[in-house]
PDB file of all heavy atoms in Angstrom:
ATOM      1  N   VAL A 237     -46.468 -86.593 -48.095  1.00 88.00           N
ATOM      2  CA  VAL A 237     -46.010 -86.058 -49.460  1.00 88.00           C
ATOM      3  C   VAL A 237     -46.915 -85.031 -49.894  1.00 88.00           C
ATOM      4  O   VAL A 237     -48.153 -85.117 -50.035  1.00 88.00           O
ATOM      5  CB  VAL A 237     -45.977 -87.303 -50.443  1.00 88.00           C
ATOM      6  CG1 VAL A 237     -45.517 -86.796 -51.753  1.00 88.00           C
ATOM      7  CG2 VAL A 237     -45.036 -88.380 -49.977  1.00 88.00           C
ATOM      8  N   ALA A 238     -46.345 -83.791 -50.276  1.00 90.00           N
ATOM      9  CA  ALA A 238     -47.053 -82.716 -50.756  1.00 90.00           C
ATOM     10  C   ALA A 238     -46.720 -82.485 -52.247  1.00 90.00           C
ATOM     11  O   ALA A 238     -45.540 -82.155 -52.548  1.00 90.00           O
ATOM     12  CB  ALA A 238     -46.835 -81.472 -49.908  1.00 90.00           C
ATOM     13  N   LEU A 239     -47.689 -82.592 -53.064  1.00 88.00           N
ATOM     14  CA  LEU A 239     -47.531 -82.311 -54.432  1.00 88.00           C
ATOM     15  C   LEU A 239     -48.338 -81.035 -54.769  1.00 88.00           C
ATOM     16  O   LEU A 239     -49.504 -80.970 -54.621  1.00 88.00           O
ATOM     17  CB  LEU A 239     -47.981 -83.381 -55.398  1.00 88.00           C
ATOM     18  CG  LEU A 239     -47.329 -84.707 -55.181  1.00 88.00           C
ATOM     19  CD1 LEU A 239     -47.917 -85.819 -56.132  1.00 88.00           C
ATOM     20  CD2 LEU A 239     -45.771 -84.658 -55.519  1.00 88.00           C
ATOM     21  N   GLY A 240     -47.674 -79.959 -55.234  1.00 84.00           N
ATOM     22  CA  GLY A 240     -48.387 -78.700 -55.480  1.00 84.00           C
ATOM     23  C   GLY A 240     -47.387 -77.582 -55.724  1.00 84.00           C
ATOM     24  O   GLY A 240     -46.211 -77.759 -55.659  1.00 84.00           O
ATOM     25  N   GLY A 241     -48.026 -76.390 -55.939  1.00 81.00           N
ATOM     26  CA  GLY A 241     -47.188 -75.234 -56.193  1.00 81.00           C
ATOM     27  C   GLY A 241     -46.634 -74.726 -54.866  1.00 81.00           C
ATOM     28  O   GLY A 241     -46.938 -75.217 -53.839  1.00 81.00           O
ATOM     29  N   ALA A 242     -45.841 -73.627 -55.011  1.00 81.00           N
ATOM     30  CA  ALA A 242     -45.160 -73.128 -53.837  1.00 81.00           C
ATOM     31  C   ALA A 242     -46.067 -72.714 -52.688  1.00 81.00           C
ATOM     32  O   ALA A 242     -45.781 -72.976 -51.534  1.00 81.00           O
ATOM     33  CB  ALA A 242     -44.277 -71.881 -54.190  1.00 81.00           C
ATOM     34  N   ARG A 243     -47.183 -72.104 -52.989  1.00 85.00           N
ATOM     35  CA  ARG A 243     -48.146 -71.620 -51.912  1.00 85.00           C
ATOM     36  C   ARG A 243     -48.607 -72.782 -51.206  1.00 85.00           C
ATOM     37  O   ARG A 243     -48.688 -72.820 -49.915  1.00 85.00           O
ATOM     38  CB  ARG A 243     -49.243 -70.851 -52.586  1.00 85.00           C
ATOM     39  CG  ARG A 243     -50.126 -70.227 -51.442  1.00 85.00           C
ATOM     40  CD  ARG A 243     -51.263 -69.404 -52.099  1.00 85.00           C
ATOM     41  NE  ARG A 243     -50.604 -68.320 -52.830  1.00 85.00           N
ATOM     42  CZ  ARG A 243     -51.260 -67.481 -53.575  1.00 85.00           C
ATOM     43  NH1 ARG A 243     -52.512 -67.575 -53.811  1.00 85.00           N
ATOM     44  NH2 ARG A 243     -50.636 -66.597 -54.242  1.00 85.00           N
ATOM     45  N   HIS A 244     -49.143 -73.883 -51.867  1.00 87.00           N
ATOM     46  CA  HIS A 244     -49.616 -75.017 -51.178  1.00 87.00           C
ATOM     47  C   HIS A 244     -48.524 -75.803 -50.391  1.00 87.00           C
ATOM     48  O   HIS A 244     -48.880 -76.257 -49.307  1.00 87.00           O
ATOM     49  CB  HIS A 244     -50.390 -75.882 -52.194  1.00 87.00           C
ATOM     50  CG  HIS A 244     -51.460 -75.176 -52.843  1.00 87.00           C
ATOM     51  ND1 HIS A 244     -51.428 -74.663 -54.118  1.00 87.00           N
ATOM     52  CD2 HIS A 244     -52.757 -74.979 -52.387  1.00 87.00           C
ATOM     53  CE1 HIS A 244     -52.641 -74.179 -54.374  1.00 87.00           C
ATOM     54  NE2 HIS A 244     -53.393 -74.329 -53.375  1.00 87.00           N
ATOM     55  N   VAL A 245     -47.482 -75.950 -51.004  1.00 88.00           N
ATOM     56  CA  VAL A 245     -46.359 -76.697 -50.389  1.00 88.00           C
ATOM     57  C   VAL A 245     -45.916 -75.923 -49.096  1.00 88.00           C
ATOM     58  O   VAL A 245     -45.707 -76.573 -48.021  1.00 88.00           O
ATOM     59  CB  VAL A 245     -45.165 -76.903 -51.268  1.00 88.00           C
ATOM     60  CG1 VAL A 245     -43.899 -77.344 -50.482  1.00 88.00           C
ATOM     61  CG2 VAL A 245     -45.475 -77.880 -52.351  1.00 88.00           C
ATOM     62  N   GLY A 246     -45.916 -74.550 -49.128  1.00 89.00           N
ATOM     63  CA  GLY A 246     -45.581 -73.751 -47.992  1.00 89.00           C
ATOM     64  C   GLY A 246     -46.593 -74.003 -46.839  1.00 89.00           C
ATOM     65  O   GLY A 246     -46.194 -74.110 -45.703  1.00 89.00           O
ATOM     66  N   LEU A 247     -47.907 -74.048 -47.238  1.00 92.00           N
ATOM     67  CA  LEU A 247     -48.921 -74.325 -46.173  1.00 92.00           C
ATOM     68  C   LEU A 247     -48.819 -75.688 -45.609  1.00 92.00           C
ATOM     69  O   LEU A 247     -48.782 -75.868 -44.379  1.00 92.00           O
ATOM     70  CB  LEU A 247     -50.277 -74.139 -46.827  1.00 92.00           C
ATOM     71  CG  LEU A 247     -51.450 -74.513 -46.025  1.00 92.00           C
ATOM     72  CD1 LEU A 247     -51.602 -73.501 -44.753  1.00 92.00           C
ATOM     73  CD2 LEU A 247     -52.795 -74.493 -46.875  1.00 92.00           C
ATOM     74  N   VAL A 248     -48.493 -76.764 -46.396  1.00 91.00           N
ATOM     75  CA  VAL A 248     -48.270 -78.036 -45.844  1.00 91.00           C
ATOM     76  C   VAL A 248     -47.064 -78.092 -44.870  1.00 91.00           C
ATOM     77  O   VAL A 248     -47.081 -78.563 -43.920  1.00 91.00           O
ATOM     78  CB  VAL A 248     -48.087 -79.083 -47.020  1.00 91.00           C
ATOM     79  CG1 VAL A 248     -47.689 -80.424 -46.432  1.00 91.00           C
ATOM     80  CG2 VAL A 248     -49.393 -79.192 -47.776  1.00 91.00           C
ATOM     81  N   ARG A 249     -45.936 -77.408 -45.323  1.00 91.00           N
ATOM     82  CA  ARG A 249     -44.785 -77.388 -44.612  1.00 91.00           C
ATOM     83  C   ARG A 249     -44.925 -76.675 -43.257  1.00 91.00           C
ATOM     84  O   ARG A 249     -44.257 -76.940 -42.277  1.00 91.00           O
ATOM     85  CB  ARG A 249     -43.573 -76.838 -45.309  1.00 91.00           C
ATOM     86  CG  ARG A 249     -43.141 -77.863 -46.291  1.00 91.00           C
ATOM     87  CD  ARG A 249     -41.628 -77.602 -46.591  1.00 91.00           C
ATOM     88  NE  ARG A 249     -41.176 -78.844 -47.078  1.00 91.00           N
ATOM     89  CZ  ARG A 249     -39.979 -79.338 -46.796  1.00 91.00           C
ATOM     90  NH1 ARG A 249     -39.202 -78.690 -45.980  1.00 91.00           N
ATOM     91  NH2 ARG A 249     -39.549 -80.462 -47.319  1.00 91.00           N
ATOM     92  N   SER A 250     -45.845 -75.705 -43.167  1.00 93.00           N
ATOM     93  CA  SER A 250     -46.191 -75.043 -41.879  1.00 93.00           C
ATOM     94  C   SER A 250     -46.851 -75.936 -40.830  1.00 93.00           C
ATOM     95  O   SER A 250     -46.686 -75.700 -39.725  1.00 93.00           O
ATOM     96  CB  SER A 250     -46.933 -73.772 -42.081  1.00 93.00           C
ATOM     97  OG  SER A 250     -48.310 -74.175 -42.513  1.00 93.00           O
ATOM     98  N   VAL A 251     -47.516 -76.919 -41.443  1.00 92.00           N
ATOM     99  CA  VAL A 251     -48.208 -77.903 -40.505  1.00 92.00           C
ATOM    100  C   VAL A 251     -47.350 -79.065 -40.340  1.00 92.00           C
ATOM    101  O   VAL A 251     -47.290 -79.671 -39.241  1.00 92.00           O
ATOM    102  CB  VAL A 251     -49.556 -78.303 -41.103  1.00 92.00           C
ATOM    103  CG1 VAL A 251     -50.265 -79.391 -40.208  1.00 92.00           C
ATOM    104  CG2 VAL A 251     -50.482 -77.053 -41.269  1.00 92.00           C
ATOM    105  N   TRP A 252     -46.722 -79.615 -41.318  1.00 90.00           N
ATOM    106  CA  TRP A 252     -45.846 -80.822 -41.323  1.00 90.00           C
ATOM    107  C   TRP A 252     -44.480 -80.387 -41.858  1.00 90.00           C
ATOM    108  O   TRP A 252     -44.154 -80.590 -43.064  1.00 90.00           O
ATOM    109  CB  TRP A 252     -46.399 -81.919 -42.234  1.00 90.00           C
ATOM    110  CG  TRP A 252     -47.722 -82.516 -41.760  1.00 90.00           C
ATOM    111  CD1 TRP A 252     -47.917 -83.334 -40.799  1.00 90.00           C
ATOM    112  CD2 TRP A 252     -48.956 -82.287 -42.350  1.00 90.00           C
ATOM    113  NE1 TRP A 252     -49.266 -83.659 -40.678  1.00 90.00           N
ATOM    114  CE2 TRP A 252     -49.913 -83.051 -41.706  1.00 90.00           C
ATOM    115  CE3 TRP A 252     -49.370 -81.521 -43.497  1.00 90.00           C
ATOM    116  CZ2 TRP A 252     -51.221 -83.016 -41.915  1.00 90.00           C
ATOM    117  CZ3 TRP A 252     -50.727 -81.544 -43.754  1.00 90.00           C
ATOM    118  CH2 TRP A 252     -51.635 -82.248 -43.013  1.00 90.00           C
ATOM    119  N   PRO A 253     -43.619 -79.976 -40.966  1.00 90.00           N
ATOM    120  CA  PRO A 253     -42.242 -79.419 -41.336  1.00 90.00           C
ATOM    121  C   PRO A 253     -41.472 -80.573 -42.055  1.00 90.00           C
ATOM    122  O   PRO A 253     -40.498 -80.116 -42.799  1.00 90.00           O
ATOM    123  CB  PRO A 253     -41.629 -78.918 -40.060  1.00 90.00           C
ATOM    124  CG  PRO A 253     -42.518 -79.180 -39.008  1.00 90.00           C
ATOM    125  CD  PRO A 253     -43.799 -79.698 -39.557  1.00 90.00           C
ATOM    126  N   HIS A 254     -41.693 -81.783 -41.835  1.00 90.00           N
ATOM    127  CA  HIS A 254     -40.885 -82.880 -42.405  1.00 90.00           C
ATOM    128  C   HIS A 254     -41.476 -83.420 -43.622  1.00 90.00           C
ATOM    129  O   HIS A 254     -41.073 -84.527 -44.051  1.00 90.00           O
ATOM    130  CB  HIS A 254     -40.538 -83.915 -41.361  1.00 90.00           C
ATOM    131  CG  HIS A 254     -39.809 -83.415 -40.154  1.00 90.00           C
ATOM    132  ND1 HIS A 254     -38.498 -82.813 -40.239  1.00 90.00           N
ATOM    133  CD2 HIS A 254     -40.242 -83.121 -38.843  1.00 90.00           C
ATOM    134  CE1 HIS A 254     -38.158 -82.443 -39.025  1.00 90.00           C
ATOM    135  NE2 HIS A 254     -39.133 -82.584 -38.227  1.00 90.00           N
ATOM    136  N   ALA A 255     -42.527 -82.698 -44.192  1.00 91.00           N
ATOM    137  CA  ALA A 255     -43.137 -83.333 -45.393  1.00 91.00           C
ATOM    138  C   ALA A 255     -42.156 -83.426 -46.581  1.00 91.00           C
ATOM    139  O   ALA A 255     -41.221 -82.603 -46.735  1.00 91.00           O
ATOM    140  CB  ALA A 255     -44.312 -82.480 -45.770  1.00 91.00           C
ATOM    141  N   PHE A 256     -42.301 -84.426 -47.382  1.00 90.00           N
ATOM    142  CA  PHE A 256     -41.592 -84.669 -48.546  1.00 90.00           C
ATOM    143  C   PHE A 256     -42.253 -83.838 -49.675  1.00 90.00           C
ATOM    144  O   PHE A 256     -43.405 -84.089 -49.962  1.00 90.00           O
ATOM    145  CB  PHE A 256     -41.573 -86.163 -48.891  1.00 90.00           C
ATOM    146  CG  PHE A 256     -40.728 -86.450 -50.230  1.00 90.00           C
ATOM    147  CD1 PHE A 256     -39.430 -86.057 -50.346  1.00 90.00           C
ATOM    148  CD2 PHE A 256     -41.324 -87.233 -51.129  1.00 90.00           C
ATOM    149  CE1 PHE A 256     -38.843 -86.307 -51.501  1.00 90.00           C
ATOM    150  CE2 PHE A 256     -40.696 -87.569 -52.296  1.00 90.00           C
ATOM    151  CZ  PHE A 256     -39.326 -87.115 -52.505  1.00 90.00           C
ATOM    152  N   THR A 257     -41.536 -82.924 -50.269  1.00 89.00           N
ATOM    153  CA  THR A 257     -42.073 -82.061 -51.267  1.00 89.00           C
ATOM    154  C   THR A 257     -41.221 -82.202 -52.524  1.00 89.00           C
ATOM    155  O   THR A 257     -40.473 -81.358 -52.863  1.00 89.00           O
ATOM    156  CB  THR A 257     -42.137 -80.617 -50.788  1.00 89.00           C
ATOM    157  OG1 THR A 257     -40.847 -80.209 -50.398  1.00 89.00           O
ATOM    158  CG2 THR A 257     -43.096 -80.450 -49.585  1.00 89.00           C
ATOM    159  N   PRO A 258     -41.510 -83.204 -53.321  1.00 88.00           N
ATOM    160  CA  PRO A 258     -40.681 -83.568 -54.446  1.00 88.00           C
ATOM    161  C   PRO A 258     -40.681 -82.527 -55.607  1.00 88.00           C
ATOM    162  O   PRO A 258     -39.856 -82.484 -56.435  1.00 88.00           O
ATOM    163  CB  PRO A 258     -41.114 -84.957 -54.877  1.00 88.00           C
ATOM    164  CG  PRO A 258     -42.463 -85.061 -54.424  1.00 88.00           C
ATOM    165  CD  PRO A 258     -42.521 -84.289 -53.230  1.00 88.00           C
ATOM    166  N   LEU A 259     -41.723 -81.786 -55.689  1.00 88.00           N
ATOM    167  CA  LEU A 259     -41.942 -80.806 -56.796  1.00 88.00           C
ATOM    168  C   LEU A 259     -41.431 -79.382 -56.396  1.00 88.00           C
ATOM    169  O   LEU A 259     -41.524 -78.476 -57.255  1.00 88.00           O
ATOM    170  CB  LEU A 259     -43.361 -80.751 -57.261  1.00 88.00           C
ATOM    171  CG  LEU A 259     -43.920 -82.057 -57.731  1.00 88.00           C
ATOM    172  CD1 LEU A 259     -45.384 -81.847 -58.278  1.00 88.00           C
ATOM    173  CD2 LEU A 259     -43.066 -82.656 -58.825  1.00 88.00           C
ATOM    174  N   ALA A 260     -41.098 -79.209 -55.174  1.00 86.00           N
ATOM    175  CA  ALA A 260     -40.397 -77.882 -54.747  1.00 86.00           C
ATOM    176  C   ALA A 260     -39.313 -77.509 -55.619  1.00 86.00           C
ATOM    177  O   ALA A 260     -38.410 -78.320 -55.927  1.00 86.00           O
ATOM    178  CB  ALA A 260     -39.981 -77.908 -53.298  1.00 86.00           C
ATOM    179  N   GLY A 261     -39.432 -76.284 -56.076  1.00 85.00           N
ATOM    180  CA  GLY A 261     -38.299 -75.753 -56.942  1.00 85.00           C
ATOM    181  C   GLY A 261     -38.483 -75.964 -58.487  1.00 85.00           C
ATOM    182  O   GLY A 261     -37.723 -75.463 -59.180  1.00 85.00           O
ATOM    183  N   THR A 262     -39.513 -76.591 -58.801  1.00 87.00           N
ATOM    184  CA  THR A 262     -39.749 -76.809 -60.283  1.00 87.00           C
ATOM    185  C   THR A 262     -40.252 -75.551 -60.872  1.00 87.00           C
ATOM    186  O   THR A 262     -40.922 -74.772 -60.183  1.00 87.00           O
ATOM    187  CB  THR A 262     -40.758 -77.997 -60.501  1.00 87.00           C
ATOM    188  OG1 THR A 262     -41.921 -77.859 -59.812  1.00 87.00           O
ATOM    189  CG2 THR A 262     -40.141 -79.391 -60.159  1.00 87.00           C
ATOM    190  N   ARG A 263     -40.008 -75.350 -62.178  1.00 88.00           N
ATOM    191  CA  ARG A 263     -40.419 -74.131 -62.809  1.00 88.00           C
ATOM    192  C   ARG A 263     -41.530 -74.223 -63.789  1.00 88.00           C
ATOM    193  O   ARG A 263     -41.912 -73.248 -64.345  1.00 88.00           O
ATOM    194  CB  ARG A 263     -39.153 -73.600 -63.535  1.00 88.00           C
ATOM    195  CG  ARG A 263     -38.017 -73.210 -62.618  1.00 88.00           C
ATOM    196  CD  ARG A 263     -36.798 -72.867 -63.371  1.00 88.00           C
ATOM    197  NE  ARG A 263     -36.401 -74.042 -64.156  1.00 88.00           N
ATOM    198  CZ  ARG A 263     -35.170 -74.496 -64.156  1.00 88.00           C
ATOM    199  NH1 ARG A 263     -34.169 -73.937 -63.482  1.00 88.00           N
ATOM    200  NH2 ARG A 263     -34.801 -75.591 -64.778  1.00 88.00           N
ATOM    201  N   GLY A 264     -42.205 -75.385 -63.837  1.00 88.00           N
ATOM    202  CA  GLY A 264     -43.364 -75.403 -64.708  1.00 88.00           C
ATOM    203  C   GLY A 264     -43.890 -76.914 -64.831  1.00 88.00           C
ATOM    204  O   GLY A 264     -43.233 -77.775 -64.323  1.00 88.00           O
ATOM    205  N   MET A 265     -45.018 -77.020 -65.534  1.00 89.00           N
ATOM    206  CA  MET A 265     -45.512 -78.392 -65.595  1.00 89.00           C
ATOM    207  C   MET A 265     -44.648 -79.428 -66.271  1.00 89.00           C
ATOM    208  O   MET A 265     -44.635 -80.575 -65.821  1.00 89.00           O
ATOM    209  CB  MET A 265     -46.881 -78.368 -66.481  1.00 89.00           C
ATOM    210  CG  MET A 265     -48.076 -77.844 -65.676  1.00 89.00           C
ATOM    211  SD  MET A 265     -48.397 -78.832 -64.173  1.00 89.00           S
ATOM    212  CE  MET A 265     -49.261 -80.103 -64.922  1.00 89.00           C
ATOM    213  N   GLY A 266     -43.911 -79.020 -67.306  1.00 92.00           N
ATOM    214  CA  GLY A 266     -42.967 -79.948 -67.938  1.00 92.00           C
ATOM    215  C   GLY A 266     -41.953 -80.504 -66.865  1.00 92.00           C
ATOM    216  O   GLY A 266     -41.681 -81.702 -66.860  1.00 92.00           O
ATOM    217  N   GLU A 267     -41.405 -79.554 -66.135  1.00 91.00           N
ATOM    218  CA  GLU A 267     -40.389 -80.042 -65.194  1.00 91.00           C
ATOM    219  C   GLU A 267     -41.015 -80.799 -64.092  1.00 91.00           C
ATOM    220  O   GLU A 267     -40.433 -81.787 -63.527  1.00 91.00           O
ATOM    221  CB  GLU A 267     -39.711 -78.813 -64.657  1.00 91.00           C
ATOM    222  CG  GLU A 267     -38.402 -79.139 -63.853  1.00 91.00           C
ATOM    223  CD  GLU A 267     -37.601 -77.826 -63.491  1.00 91.00           C
ATOM    224  OE1 GLU A 267     -37.607 -76.932 -64.248  1.00 91.00           O
ATOM    225  OE2 GLU A 267     -37.098 -77.796 -62.359  1.00 91.00           O
ATOM    226  N   GLN A 268     -42.293 -80.476 -63.610  1.00 90.00           N
ATOM    227  CA  GLN A 268     -42.994 -81.190 -62.614  1.00 90.00           C
ATOM    228  C   GLN A 268     -43.235 -82.746 -63.187  1.00 90.00           C
ATOM    229  O   GLN A 268     -43.038 -83.727 -62.432  1.00 90.00           O
ATOM    230  CB  GLN A 268     -44.265 -80.601 -62.350  1.00 90.00           C
ATOM    231  CG  GLN A 268     -44.121 -79.395 -61.420  1.00 90.00           C
ATOM    232  CD  GLN A 268     -45.389 -78.589 -61.206  1.00 90.00           C
ATOM    233  OE1 GLN A 268     -46.408 -79.075 -61.514  1.00 90.00           O
ATOM    234  NE2 GLN A 268     -45.271 -77.489 -60.516  1.00 90.00           N
ATOM    235  N   MET A 269     -43.694 -82.830 -64.473  1.00 91.00           N
ATOM    236  CA  MET A 269     -43.914 -84.133 -64.969  1.00 91.00           C
ATOM    237  C   MET A 269     -42.719 -85.052 -65.110  1.00 91.00           C
ATOM    238  O   MET A 269     -42.753 -86.194 -64.717  1.00 91.00           O
ATOM    239  CB  MET A 269     -44.631 -83.986 -66.330  1.00 91.00           C
ATOM    240  CG  MET A 269     -46.017 -83.302 -66.275  1.00 91.00           C
ATOM    241  SD  MET A 269     -47.138 -84.155 -65.182  1.00 91.00           S
ATOM    242  CE  MET A 269     -47.516 -85.600 -66.095  1.00 91.00           C
ATOM    243  N   ALA A 270     -41.548 -84.312 -65.397  1.00 92.00           N
ATOM    244  CA  ALA A 270     -40.216 -85.076 -65.498  1.00 92.00           C
ATOM    245  C   ALA A 270     -39.853 -85.553 -64.112  1.00 92.00           C
ATOM    246  O   ALA A 270     -39.373 -86.696 -63.918  1.00 92.00           O
ATOM    247  CB  ALA A 270     -39.178 -84.240 -66.063  1.00 92.00           C
ATOM    248  N   ARG A 271     -40.132 -84.738 -63.150  1.00 90.00           N
ATOM    249  CA  ARG A 271     -39.663 -85.102 -61.677  1.00 90.00           C
ATOM    250  C   ARG A 271     -40.556 -86.227 -61.239  1.00 90.00           C
ATOM    251  O   ARG A 271     -40.094 -87.149 -60.644  1.00 90.00           O
ATOM    252  CB  ARG A 271     -39.737 -83.883 -60.862  1.00 90.00           C
ATOM    253  CG  ARG A 271     -39.331 -84.218 -59.469  1.00 90.00           C
ATOM    254  CD  ARG A 271     -38.308 -83.281 -58.686  1.00 90.00           C
ATOM    255  NE  ARG A 271     -37.642 -82.238 -59.258  1.00 90.00           N
ATOM    256  CZ  ARG A 271     -37.444 -81.082 -58.711  1.00 90.00           C
ATOM    257  NH1 ARG A 271     -37.865 -80.833 -57.456  1.00 90.00           N
ATOM    258  NH2 ARG A 271     -36.787 -80.185 -59.353  1.00 90.00           N
ATOM    259  N   LEU A 272     -41.862 -86.206 -61.510  1.00 90.00           N
ATOM    260  CA  LEU A 272     -42.741 -87.261 -61.123  1.00 90.00           C
ATOM    261  C   LEU A 272     -42.388 -88.570 -61.774  1.00 90.00           C
ATOM    262  O   LEU A 272     -42.548 -89.647 -61.173  1.00 90.00           O
ATOM    263  CB  LEU A 272     -44.249 -86.875 -61.430  1.00 90.00           C
ATOM    264  CG  LEU A 272     -44.874 -85.772 -60.568  1.00 90.00           C
ATOM    265  CD1 LEU A 272     -46.197 -85.361 -61.108  1.00 90.00           C
ATOM    266  CD2 LEU A 272     -44.929 -86.289 -59.052  1.00 90.00           C
ATOM    267  N   ALA A 273     -41.978 -88.463 -63.155  1.00 93.00           N
ATOM    268  CA  ALA A 273     -41.572 -89.650 -63.821  1.00 93.00           C
ATOM    269  C   ALA A 273     -40.359 -90.319 -63.216  1.00 93.00           C
ATOM    270  O   ALA A 273     -40.257 -91.453 -63.028  1.00 93.00           O
ATOM    271  CB  ALA A 273     -41.347 -89.301 -65.351  1.00 93.00           C
ATOM    272  N   ALA A 274     -39.401 -89.416 -62.766  1.00 91.00           N
ATOM    273  CA  ALA A 274     -38.142 -89.847 -62.208  1.00 91.00           C
ATOM    274  C   ALA A 274     -38.527 -90.537 -60.783  1.00 91.00           C
ATOM    275  O   ALA A 274     -37.892 -91.461 -60.465  1.00 91.00           O
ATOM    276  CB  ALA A 274     -37.240 -88.701 -61.906  1.00 91.00           C
ATOM    277  N   LEU A 275     -39.476 -89.975 -60.068  1.00 89.00           N
ATOM    278  CA  LEU A 275     -39.865 -90.523 -58.816  1.00 89.00           C
ATOM    279  C   LEU A 275     -40.501 -91.961 -59.049  1.00 89.00           C
ATOM    280  O   LEU A 275     -40.188 -92.896 -58.352  1.00 89.00           O
ATOM    281  CB  LEU A 275     -40.943 -89.719 -58.209  1.00 89.00           C
ATOM    282  CG  LEU A 275     -40.594 -88.524 -57.301  1.00 89.00           C
ATOM    283  CD1 LEU A 275     -41.706 -87.681 -56.972  1.00 89.00           C
ATOM    284  CD2 LEU A 275     -39.885 -89.086 -56.096  1.00 89.00           C
ATOM    285  N   ARG A 276     -41.271 -91.999 -60.079  1.00 90.00           N
ATOM    286  CA  ARG A 276     -42.017 -93.323 -60.379  1.00 90.00           C
ATOM    287  C   ARG A 276     -40.863 -94.390 -60.643  1.00 90.00           C
ATOM    288  O   ARG A 276     -41.034 -95.553 -60.381  1.00 90.00           O
ATOM    289  CB  ARG A 276     -42.896 -93.114 -61.536  1.00 90.00           C
ATOM    290  CG  ARG A 276     -43.673 -94.297 -61.881  1.00 90.00           C
ATOM    291  CD  ARG A 276     -44.639 -94.161 -63.019  1.00 90.00           C
ATOM    292  NE  ARG A 276     -44.025 -93.688 -64.224  1.00 90.00           N
ATOM    293  CZ  ARG A 276     -44.333 -92.515 -64.807  1.00 90.00           C
ATOM    294  NH1 ARG A 276     -45.203 -91.599 -64.324  1.00 90.00           N
ATOM    295  NH2 ARG A 276     -43.641 -92.098 -65.932  1.00 90.00           N
ATOM    296  N   GLU A 277     -39.783 -93.981 -61.375  1.00 90.00           N
ATOM    297  CA  GLU A 277     -38.795 -94.924 -61.684  1.00 90.00           C
ATOM    298  C   GLU A 277     -37.761 -95.055 -60.588  1.00 90.00           C
ATOM    299  O   GLU A 277     -36.830 -95.818 -60.799  1.00 90.00           O
ATOM    300  CB  GLU A 277     -38.045 -94.411 -63.038  1.00 90.00           C
ATOM    301  CG  GLU A 277     -39.017 -94.418 -64.213  1.00 90.00           C
ATOM    302  CD  GLU A 277     -38.431 -93.587 -65.408  1.00 90.00           C
ATOM    303  OE1 GLU A 277     -37.231 -93.345 -65.421  1.00 90.00           O
ATOM    304  OE2 GLU A 277     -39.234 -93.414 -66.331  1.00 90.00           O
ATOM    305  N   GLY A 278     -37.856 -94.379 -59.495  1.00 87.00           N
ATOM    306  CA  GLY A 278     -36.983 -94.513 -58.414  1.00 87.00           C
ATOM    307  C   GLY A 278     -35.658 -93.761 -58.463  1.00 87.00           C
ATOM    308  O   GLY A 278     -34.741 -94.131 -57.778  1.00 87.00           O
ATOM    309  N   HIS A 279     -35.701 -92.721 -59.244  1.00 78.00           N
ATOM    310  CA  HIS A 279     -34.386 -91.973 -59.550  1.00 78.00           C
ATOM    311  C   HIS A 279     -34.274 -90.747 -58.477  1.00 78.00           C
ATOM    312  O   HIS A 279     -33.265 -90.060 -58.557  1.00 78.00           O
ATOM    313  CB  HIS A 279     -34.230 -91.448 -60.932  1.00 78.00           C
ATOM    314  CG  HIS A 279     -34.108 -92.696 -61.862  1.00 78.00           C
ATOM    315  ND1 HIS A 279     -33.192 -93.594 -61.781  1.00 78.00           N
ATOM    316  CD2 HIS A 279     -35.037 -93.064 -62.798  1.00 78.00           C
ATOM    317  CE1 HIS A 279     -33.372 -94.445 -62.736  1.00 78.00           C
ATOM    318  NE2 HIS A 279     -34.452 -94.168 -63.382  1.00 78.00           N
TER     319      HIS A 279
END
């Protein structure tokens, strides 16, 4: 699981192409926090 910005997620995906990147495509910290909360709740 890779949590980070686009540059870091891109690096992780170059090594682990099947990595789960739940924050990919988020546009800011508020959206990232909302997505993490949804993950925690299983949504």
Side-chain angles (χ1 to χ4, degrees):
V237 177
L239 300 176
R243 185 178 301 173
H244 295 101
V245 168
L247 176 63
V248 169
R249 285 208 159 218
S250 71
V251 177
W252 294 284
H254 301 293
F256 177 54
T257 55
L259 300 182
T262 55
R263 295 174 295 233
M265 280 303 280
E267 195 171 320
Q268 289 177 0
M269 296 304 287
R271 184 136 347 143
L272 288 171
L275 276 168
R276 184 177 59 240
E277 295 170 10
H279 299 298

